[in-house]
Each structure stands twice: as structure tokens, then as C-alpha cells.
Amino acid sequence: MVDVLGGGGPEAGTGPGAPDSLVPIGRNWGMWPVVLLRSVGHAAEQLRDFLAAAEEQRHTGSGLREVVERFAADPWLLEAMCWQNPTIVNSWLGRYATEGVGGTKRPTYYRGKLLTLGVYLQRYATRNETIGFFGPIAWAHLDPRRDLLVEVGGKGERVRHTTYFEPWALTALARAWEAEPEVRWHLPVVVNQAGALRDDAFVRPRRGPHPLTDDQRLVLRHLGGSGYADEVLGALGADWDRARLTDVLDTLQRAGCLHWGFDITVVGGSEEVLDAQLARLPDEPRHRLRADLHQLSRLRRDVCAAAGDATGVWRATNALAESFEAISGVDSSVQKRTNPDCRELLYHDVTVDWDATLGARAVDGLAGPLELLMETCRYASWRFAAGIEDRARTALRRDPSLEAVFDELLPELDDRRPGRIVRSVMAEVRRIVAELLAAEPGVEAPDGSRVHRSAALRQRWLAAFAAPRAGWSAAELHSTDIMLARRDDEHLWVLGELHTTINPLDYRFCLENQPEPGRLEALIDAATPPERFIAAVPPTPRLSPRTAPPPAAYLPDKHRYWTLWPRTSMPASVPKLSCVDLRVVERDGTVVVVDGTGRVVTRLTEFIGEFLSLALYNTLSIFPEADRMPRVRIDDLVVQRVYRRIPVREFAPLLAAPPSRVELAGFFRDRGLPRYSFVRVPGEPKPVFCDAQSWITTHNVVRLVRKVADRPDAMVKVQEMLPDFDDLWLTGPDGRTRTSEFRFVLQDRQGTGGDGVR
């Protein structure tokens, strides 16, 4: 059985999702037949028109005002900004869009507005993503029986739009409501699933045992795993009253033994879960609070129904924000200001009707280089797992408890700052690749690319990256983002990102918006071993139904969740293995987790595999960072785009210039850089698009560089835009081109070995 965590999903079956439907890639790999087509919401031409108009009028006040008015009137942009930054919409953009700019102000005022619009337009027209209608969901499939490269059906029109509350918003409601004593008395009480009840203590990971009074022990035994305060009181007998039980529950909550309050999940379905808990309340608070929740739900649906009507979305989002603030007492925009990982009140999924087919020419052209890359991914996961085992051997000699070993490993599991072991593995991979490419130097193409042939590399490459198995079961799946650059009858494939050990099609938004319900679940089920251990992690601002890492498909007969945390993002109804009695030992040369009886649970690397995946998934690059790199191809796949790294100190002459006087064209030309590029400034999470001949995008780059002006030796990376504007092939409803990329999933048929210890 397969379910989607937090919401109903179709059951898995056979047929189109069966493992025999994988498209063979080399000796040991299969490509999933379902492919995510990622794109942008706005046309590339719209960005170019905007930049050209702003450039033409850069020194004339009236001309700048006309440019602001023209592009502020774009209903698509207004709708997008209602979702992403309603503060700007309410302060000026909404008024300009509906009433015109009006009046006369100094040129600097209009330049400021254009700079703001430029920041958003460059994202909406150049960054492929999956978020809302400015990063819509579309699909492709592989059909190697057809002799074609790519064929696209549909126009990119919206066919499905769904909205959801961000978890922080529902959590804010819950915290406000549970402050009422009469409400709280009828709410769930969930025992810390990471802990364990002993005769005279409640044992908690990381905090040690909490000594129990007789009353506390009795209450915990009545609760079992979870219950409701009013029901527990009824079961305790006449000697108990609310005051006595409240004192016990409050004490146990402060001690981290339980949680008493609304149980809000992060993984999905939170609105329904909250409503079901409100339904247990007495009449007065039940009717009042459910009426408030249903009002917010209705306003959320109003926002969804207004999709495509920019002013309607503006009105509906404002009405929702006002109602939310009145009901919760929380500023609807405060979260994003205080924590950049938070978002506005709602997130949304948008599916468009593109339906692409990738045929034999696409599969054959990608197969050779993808096999080499996938062999590299397996090797990297195996070496990373081996390094983690070595580190664990040292840790377990000091304290073999799982929590102690896990805590010692945490610096190696950081998904934002690679640990020592990841860095060592990456250095090893890059050294091997450099040796392989030096042995087969390839040829120089007319465009200056260094071109290698996979057939010439293959034998040495497979031998150099030979690995007995994937490092853990989740590491049997990898993903690549690949763009198509197509001009006339010529084409190139371009590697965007290589995501190791993660299956991005196992995200909630993929499962809920797939074109053939059940197909992804069947592929996921077939790729999952009989037993897979998954950490139930605590809720954080970074974790939401939009961002929660795989798996989202819940396989209750295969998944075994464990936790070290008193509260998790998973529903309390999902069983979780307590870790208080688990230890880490070495058996027959393998580091394993054992339970209190000494029985082997699984390999340590399998037990913490989700953390290993998150630490490794976005770090693999086969080339080291250098001051400059040429374009490198394997067959027709560009595996490295041209880039140059420039010290911040070289930008110093540009930093003092006003926006309309910033000139990057000559600066880039002197360094051999193209007009169109993506620039990554230290400390910024994403690169930004730059047209070196546009004062708007160059000012944005300089603005970001100013933030690190006190770090003169920090390096700014400038990488060519490939595909270029002239290489785009996907068109939207307006007939204008969009940037796009295919997200492929590749499965390791070699697996993790058959030694029975996972």
C-alpha cells in the first residue's frame, strides 16, 4: 500500500510504473520514464523588452516613468507579486497597475522602482523552479521507440491551481487558540515518541532520565502513546480533578516528556487535522473557532478561485491577510521579515498543460555521459558511507549509544556547509576525473568547447569509479537537471545540477500533481527495499509541505520511522522507533545499530541514510573550483559551462557608481565574459541573471557585491548563460519562449548488495 503523508493518495499498482518500464542507461542504470519539466512563468522576451526599454530611457525622467507604467500594468507580474511580496503590491505596484503612475517625480524615484521590478523579473524569466505559477509543474515522458528528440503538446496554460496554508500560519492559529484553558483541556496529549517509560523515570534522548512522581507515572501509563486530556481525566477516577491533572501535564511538558496542545503536522493535510481537533471541543469554542477556521479556508479558496485575475488575487490575498491577523493576532508578514526561511500565508501548486515526449534521439544522446555521471554518483555515496562508518567507529568507542554517535556525526551531516568527509570525497572524485580527462584529452570544438567522447572514456571511467554497492538504499536514486539548447537543426544538452542520492519525484507536489495517478507511487514502491529507515525530524521554518525532503509517499509496510526529538513533523499516528535503547556496534567489519537485546536493526549508514542524502545531494561536481573554466562536453552534454571567478576587490571601482552609471559591459569583456551570465555572490543562496549591457541587472549585481565589500578576497562567480536566449525552444501561451529544464531520475540496478544487513 502507498499513501501520501498527510493526505490520501492512490494505491500503487503495476503497469506503467513497474520496474521493467525503466529505460536502460548503460550496464547498471535505468531512467525513470516519468520526467518533471521545470520552467519559468514569464517569457524571456518580456525580460529583454523590459531591460531594453529601461536602457533606452535611463537618463530621462518622463521616459523612465513611462517604462514603469508600462511594465507595472502587466497583470501577470502583479499576480506574481501578490504571492511573493504583497507589501510591494500594497505600497505602490497595485496602485500603478490599476490607476497608472501619474504625477512627476525625480528620475531617481523611477529608477528605484525599475530596479525593484528587475529583481523579480530576472527571476521570473530565467530561473527554472517549481513554485507557484512562476515555476509551474509540467511533465514529460520517455519513449525510446520514437525517432525524435523532443516533442511538446500543450501551450503552457494553467490547468490546475491549488492553495495551502503555510505551516507557520496554522501553527500561529493553534498557539493562539490553545491559550484558552477550556480549549486546551480537550486537546491531544502526545507522549514524546523518542523517549521511553521506565519504572521510575521517563528516559529522554539527549536529556537523560526524568524522575517520575507516582502521579506522573500513572498519567503516562494511562496515556500509552497519546490521548486527550479530558479522556485521561475520566479514566483516572474520582480522586482526580482538572487542577491536579493540569499540574502533572504541565510539568511533564516542561520536562519534554509529552506535548499537550494541537498536533499540527507539517507534511500536509494540516488544515483538516486542525479542524478535526476543533470538532472535539465543547459547543461554544467549537462553533466559534471552527467558524474562524472555515472563514480562513473560504478566503483561501477565494484566492485560488481568483487565479488568472491579478486584481482579484490582490483583493483576495488582502482579505485573507486581514482576517488572519484579526483571528490570530499575528502579523501575516512578520514571519518572512524575521526568518528568511518563512513565506507568506499561502503556498500554491500550479500545473500547466505542457506534455513533452523525449524520444530515442534524446535517450541515445544522453545515455553515454549519464552512465559515467551515475557511476560517479554511486562511487561518491559508497565512499561517503565508508567515511561515516570510520568516523562512527571512533565515536562508538567513547559512547556507543545511538544518540551519542549521531551527535558526533552531525558536523558531517550539515546540508548547508559540507563536512570534512564530504569535502574529502569530492576532492577524490575531482582528482580521478582530472586524470581520466587528461588520459583522453578530447578535441576542441568550433565554439571553444573541450569535447570528450563517452565511448573513449567508458572503460577507464567505470574501472576508476568501481564501487561494490551504493552507500545506502536511498543512494540508489539520483537526479539530474538537464537543459536543451536548440538552434535551427543543432542542439546541445546542458547539465544544470546533479542531485545525488535524492529522488525529487518523491516530493508531495509531484505526487499530487502527476499526470497518471499511481504511476510515481508504483515506481517508488518498486525502488524501495523491504525495509527502509527514515528519520522523523522536528518541525523547523525550513520544513514545509513544499520543501520537506523525500520520501512523501508513505509505504507503511516498508517504512520504519525513528526519532531523537520530542516533537516531529510527522503525524503522531505514524509509529516511530524510540532510540533510547539503541546502540552502535561493529559486527563482522560493519558498523550496525542494535536494539536493547543486541539484535541487529540495520547498518548505521542505512539507519541515518536520509541525513547522508541531504548532506551529499547538492555537493557533487566533477570539476574543482578554479579561477576560470572553459566549456566542457561529454558527447553532446555540456558538463561544465564557461565561468570565471573574480575577487571582490576588482569590483571596487564599480561600487561607488550610481545605478544609472554602473557599467559592466567593458568590465566583463576585458575578462573574456559573455554579455548574458549568471552571477553568484558569496553569501547569496542563488545566482542572479546579468545582462552586462543593462544598468538594471548590473546594478543588482553591484548591489549584492557591496554587501561583501569588506571581504576583498571573496570570489564572485560569473558563469555563461547556456542555453542563451536564442537557444530556447519551449513556448508559452503567448507564443513567446521560456527557459526550461528536464529533471530526470536514474535508478541504480546494482543496488546496495545482498548481504542481508541494510
Side-chain angles (χ1 to χ4, degrees):
M1 180 183 133
V2 182
D3 196 5
V4 181
L5 285 172
E11 289 198 3
T14 58
D20 59 4
S21 67
L22 301 185
V23 176
I25 299 293
R27 184 174 61 192
N28 291 314
W29 297 90
M31 187 183 289
W32 279 23
V34 183
V35 181
L36 187 65
L37 175 56
R38 286 160 44 94
S39 183
V40 293
H42 225 2
E45 290 89 346
Q46 184 77 348
L47 174 62
R48 299 179 77 180
D49 290 349
F50 170 77
L51 297 178
E55 190 66 26
E56 183 179 353
Q57 303 295 335
R58 65 191 297 182
H59 299 301
T60 62
S62 60
L64 288 168
R65 181 178 61 79
E66 290 173 2
V67 177
V68 172
E69 188 165 71
R70 173 185 165 191
F71 287 92
D74 177 2
W76 188 98
L77 178 60
L78 176 62
E79 185 178 356
M81 294 295 286
C82 287
W83 283 99
Q84 194 167 12
N85 197 328
T87 301
I88 289 177
V89 175
N90 289 322
S91 62
W92 60 272
L93 182 59
R95 185 174 72 255
Y96 286 1
T98 56
E99 302 173 9
V101 176
T104 301
K105 296 183 181 293
R106 294 175 62 85
T108 53
Y109 174 85
Y110 299 120
R111 289 193 193 103
K113 300 307 180 191
L114 290 175
L115 289 169
T116 297
L117 294 180
V119 168
Y120 289 95
L121 276 172
Q122 64 87 22
R123 171 183 176 176
Y124 296 152
T126 65
R127 187 190 298 176
N128 301 319
E129 50 191 344
T130 311
I131 177 170
F133 69 96
F134 41 89
I137 299 166
W139 296 94
H141 64 276
L142 301 178
D143 189 350
R145 299 166 299 178
R146 299 189 62 188
D147 182 23
L148 57 84
L149 185 71
V150 62
E151 179 180 87
V152 182
K155 297 180 180 180
E157 295 179 334
R158 299 186 217 179
V159 293
R160 188 168 187 256
H161 191 131
T162 50
T163 58
Y164 310 85
F165 282 107
E166 285 279 2
W168 75 260
L170 293 179
T171 300
L173 286 174
R175 296 299 166 263
W177 291 342
E178 67 191 18
E180 300 182 30
E182 187 59 29
V183 170
R184 190 185 185 209
W185 193 249
H186 299 272
L187 295 183
V189 181
V190 180
V191 177
N192 177 354
Q193 291 179 296
L197 178 62
R198 298 293 186 256
D199 288 339
D200 57 355
F202 188 87
V203 183
R204 307 159 298 175
R206 295 190 168 104
R207 295 185 64 181
H210 170 69
L212 297 173
T213 66
D214 291 342
D215 279 1
Q216 292 170 359
R217 186 184 310 109
L218 182 62
V219 167
L220 287 171
R221 285 177 176 165
H222 271 282
L223 277 169
S226 63
Y228 290 89
D230 55 334
E231 293 178 349
V232 173
L233 181 62
L236 286 171
D239 292 341
W240 285 74
D241 57 20
R242 284 191 176 190
R244 182 178 177 184
L245 181 55
T246 297
D247 178 65
V248 170
L249 292 178
D250 282 343
T251 301
L252 290 172
Q253 178 155 289
R254 287 193 298 270
C257 300
L258 54 78
H259 173 74
W260 181 17
F262 286 103
D263 182 26
I264 306 297
T265 64
V266 171
V267 292
S270 301
E271 208 171 325
E272 295 78 8
V273 169
L274 183 56
D275 190 42
Q277 292 172 31
L278 291 175
R280 291 195 73 260
L281 302 181
D283 287 349
E284 190 281 325
R286 180 176 74 248
H287 294 315
R288 171 169 51 86
L289 299 184
R290 290 189 83 191
D292 286 345
L293 179 61
H294 294 170
Q295 177 184 344
L296 293 174
S297 298
R298 177 182 56 78
L299 292 171
R300 173 186 58 75
R301 292 192 295 271
D302 288 347
V303 175
C304 188
D309 173 6
T311 55
V313 170
W314 181 22
R315 288 191 298 268
T317 52
N318 278 344
L320 174 63
E322 291 170 5
S323 183
F324 174 82
E325 291 175 2
I327 291 171
S328 69
V330 175
D331 184 340
S332 63
S333 63
V334 70
Q335 295 293 319
K336 194 170 183 178
R337 291 202 304 269
T338 57
N339 190 322
D341 287 319
C342 284
R343 295 296 182 263
E344 301 299 334
L345 276 172
L346 301 178
Y347 68 95
H348 59 145
D349 296 338
V350 176
T351 304
V352 294
D353 66 354
W354 284 315
D355 179 17
T357 302
L358 293 153
R361 287 159 52 196
V363 173
D364 293 345
L366 290 170
L370 282 183
E371 180 189 21
L372 304 186
L373 292 174
M374 292 303 103
E375 293 288 321
T376 309
C377 290
R378 182 201 295 126
Y379 181 86
S381 77
W382 172 62
R383 294 289 293 139
F384 183 41
I388 290 293
E389 282 204 352
D390 286 343
R391 178 72 180 271
R393 287 186 179 95
T394 302
L396 67 86
R397 295 188 189 104
R398 286 188 285 270
D399 185 343
S401 67
L402 176 71
E403 60 188 272
V405 174
F406 179 78
D407 285 346
E408 279 217 35
L409 293 175
L410 273 178
E412 303 293 346
L413 307 178
D414 192 328
D415 64 328
R416 291 189 166 184
R417 181 177 297 177
R420 180 187 59 80
I421 298 173
V422 168
R423 296 197 305 271
S424 175
V425 171
M426 293 305 104
E428 181 184 357
V429 165
R430 292 162 184 162
R431 175 185 57 77
I432 294 172
V433 169
E435 293 171 356
L436 291 168
L437 297 184
E440 196 285 302
V443 298
E444 185 171 323
D447 64 0
S449 302
R450 176 59 55 179
V451 182
H452 303 268
R453 294 299 170 195
S454 61
L457 290 168
R458 186 175 187 272
Q459 184 176 354
R460 289 192 185 94
W461 196 292
L462 267 59
F465 286 112
R469 60 181 179 85
W472 55 98
S473 63
E476 295 173 23
L477 294 168
H478 309 283
S479 173
T480 59
D481 293 339
I482 295 180
M483 296 167 282
L484 174 61
R486 195 172 187 179
R487 189 177 302 187
D488 300 324
D489 294 329
E490 302 294 324
H491 76 272
L492 280 178
W493 298 102
V494 182
L495 179 65
E497 292 184 323
L498 185 59
H499 304 291
T500 57
T501 69
I502 284 282
N503 177 10
L505 298 192
D506 198 356
Y507 277 94
R508 176 208 56 81
F509 62 81
C510 289
L511 298 177
E512 292 185 359
N513 295 282
Q514 60 183 301
E516 299 177 51
R519 192 177 192 192
L520 285 179
E521 289 87 346
L523 284 161
I524 292 165
D525 195 8
T528 303
E531 192 172 49
R532 179 176 173 184
F533 290 84
I534 303 166
V537 296
T540 68
R542 293 179 62 196
L543 195 63
S544 76
R546 183 171 39 78
T547 61
Y554 178 37
L555 309 176
D557 55 336
K558 293 184 174 183
H559 287 173
R560 292 191 65 190
Y561 285 88
W562 61 271
T563 188
L564 281 167
W565 300 273
R567 297 198 65 205
T568 77
S569 58
M570 301 288 298
S573 57
V574 175
K576 303 173 191 71
L577 178 65
S578 168
C579 297
V580 294
D581 291 326
L582 299 184
R583 294 177 297 115
V584 180
V585 302
E586 187 170 7
R587 296 271 177 91
D588 300 324
T590 301
V591 179
V592 298
V593 177
V594 298
D595 64 18
T597 68
R599 181 186 66 87
V600 173
V601 177
T602 190
R603 292 177 183 268
L604 173 65
T605 50
E606 183 66 24
F607 196 80
I608 62 172
E610 305 308 314
F611 288 96
L612 302 185
S613 291
L614 290 174
L616 192 63
Y617 88 103
N618 217 19
T619 61
L620 183 60
S621 170
I622 61 175
F623 297 102
E625 286 288 356
D627 287 344
R628 63 173 68 223
M629 279 291 291
R631 188 185 296 176
V632 181
R633 285 166 42 193
I634 300 178
D635 299 341
D636 289 332
L637 176 64
V638 176
V639 294
Q640 176 62 65
R641 285 166 279 178
V642 173
Y643 75 76
R644 179 159 181 182
R645 297 199 309 155
I646 305 170
V648 167
R649 63 176 175 273
E650 292 190 22
F651 287 85
L654 304 172
L655 301 185
S660 63
R661 303 291 180 183
V662 174
E663 297 286 353
L664 268 184
F667 183 85
F668 276 14
R669 187 168 52 250
D670 291 346
R671 290 160 178 77
L673 292 167
R675 172 180 176 179
Y676 301 123
S677 64
F678 286 95
V679 180
R680 187 156 206 161
V681 177
E684 295 299 316
K686 294 285 186 179
V688 295
F689 168 76
C690 181
D691 174 354
Q693 295 182 14
S694 164
W695 66 269
I696 286 182
T697 58
T698 57
H699 179 269
N700 189 36
V701 169
V702 170
R703 176 182 65 87
L704 297 176
V705 174
R706 283 196 187 102
K707 295 181 180 180
V708 292
D710 59 344
R711 299 167 55 193
D713 294 327
M715 304 298 280
V716 177
K717 184 176 181 179
V718 183
Q719 181 169 266
E720 67 172 325
M721 179 184 183
L722 185 70
D724 201 338
F725 287 115
D726 295 331
D727 301 325
L728 304 180
W729 56 276
L730 185 66
T731 57
D734 54 5
R736 308 179 96 188
T737 57
R738 267 60 172 177
T739 65
S740 61
E741 66 189 17
F742 296 102
R743 177 162 282 179
F744 298 99
V745 172
L746 292 103
Q747 183 173 330
D748 190 348
R749 292 170 176 262
Q750 182 172 301
T752 54
D755 59 8
V757 180
R758 301 194 67 85

